[in-house]
């Protein structure tokens, strides 16, 4: 895949990615619901394929003992998630610009046991209770 660009809403965080994108996974866990206001849908790349172009607004929040979330302090966009020691970065798929149709399409829902009560999932994709 050729290089793709992405950004937060206000533009204080911009990045580019090269290399294969994992299909997007929609996570319905409580942390993802809190951080995004709904559920969080993210693709993933090897961290070495992610280049931060502008990171003035980027702040990392330690969301659990083994993971952290990257967000923009200017606009609150939820951009990244990293598990310690894995060498990968999950990227909120909605922060990518000009994602080609068919690239990084959602292929499953995880932590559905924790999902919000106010919506139904009816897209026919696999639904896992855990991760
Ligand atoms: Zn921003
Ligand atoms: Zn989650």
């Amino acid at each position: 895949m050729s290089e793709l660009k992405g950004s937060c809403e206000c533009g204080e965080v911009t990045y580019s990615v090269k290399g294969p994108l994992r299909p997007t996974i929609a996570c319905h866990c409580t942390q993802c619901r809190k951080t995004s206001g709904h559920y969080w849908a993210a693709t993933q790349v090897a961290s070495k394929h992610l280049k931060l172009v502008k990171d003035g607004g980027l702040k990392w929040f330690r969301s659990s003992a083994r993971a952290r979330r990257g967000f923009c302090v200017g606009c609150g966009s939820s951009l990244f998630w990293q598990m310690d020691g894995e060498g990968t970065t999950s990227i909120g798929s909605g922060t990518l610009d000009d994602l080609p149709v068919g690239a990084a399409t959602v292929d499953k829902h995880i932590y559905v046991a924790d999902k919000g009560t106010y919506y139904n999932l009816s897209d026919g994709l696999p639904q896992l209770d855990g991760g």
Side-chain angles (χ1 to χ4, degrees):
M1 177 167 299
S2 57
E3 188 176 86
L4 289 172
K5 294 186 186 320
S7 70
C8 68
E9 188 182 356
C10 77
E12 287 302 311
V13 182
T14 62
Y15 64 89
S16 63
V17 285
K18 241 193 271 185
L21 297 172
R22 187 197 67 187
T24 294
I25 294 175
C27 185
H28 300 261
C29 80
T30 306
Q31 287 177 0
C32 285
R33 288 194 289 112
K34 294 289 183 187
T35 201
S36 68
H38 190 30
Y39 58 85
W40 204 55
T43 181
Q44 192 176 75
V45 297
S47 295
K48 65 180 183 212
H49 291 151
L50 169 68
K51 193 172 115 198
L52 291 170
V53 177
K54 194 171 170 189
D55 64 356
L58 182 62
K59 186 167 180 193
W60 291 96
F61 169 69
R62 181 140 290 275
S63 53
S64 76
R66 53 198 190 117
R68 63 181 191 160
R69 293 181 176 280
F71 67 98
C72 175
V73 294
C75 66
S77 290
S78 185
L79 294 135
F80 307 124
W81 182 87
Q82 289 178 337
M83 178 83 86
D84 292 348
E86 293 226 320
T88 57
T89 301
S90 294
I91 299 174
S93 300
T95 68
L96 282 157
D97 300 318
D98 303 320
L99 190 59
V101 173
T105 304
V106 178
D107 77 345
K108 64 180 168 186
H109 299 275
I110 63 171
Y111 290 99
V112 171
D114 297 331
K115 85 178 222 359
T117 54
Y118 61 94
Y119 58 91
N120 295 309
L121 298 174
S122 54
D123 56 15
L125 295 171
Q127 299 182 18
L128 282 66
D129 278 345

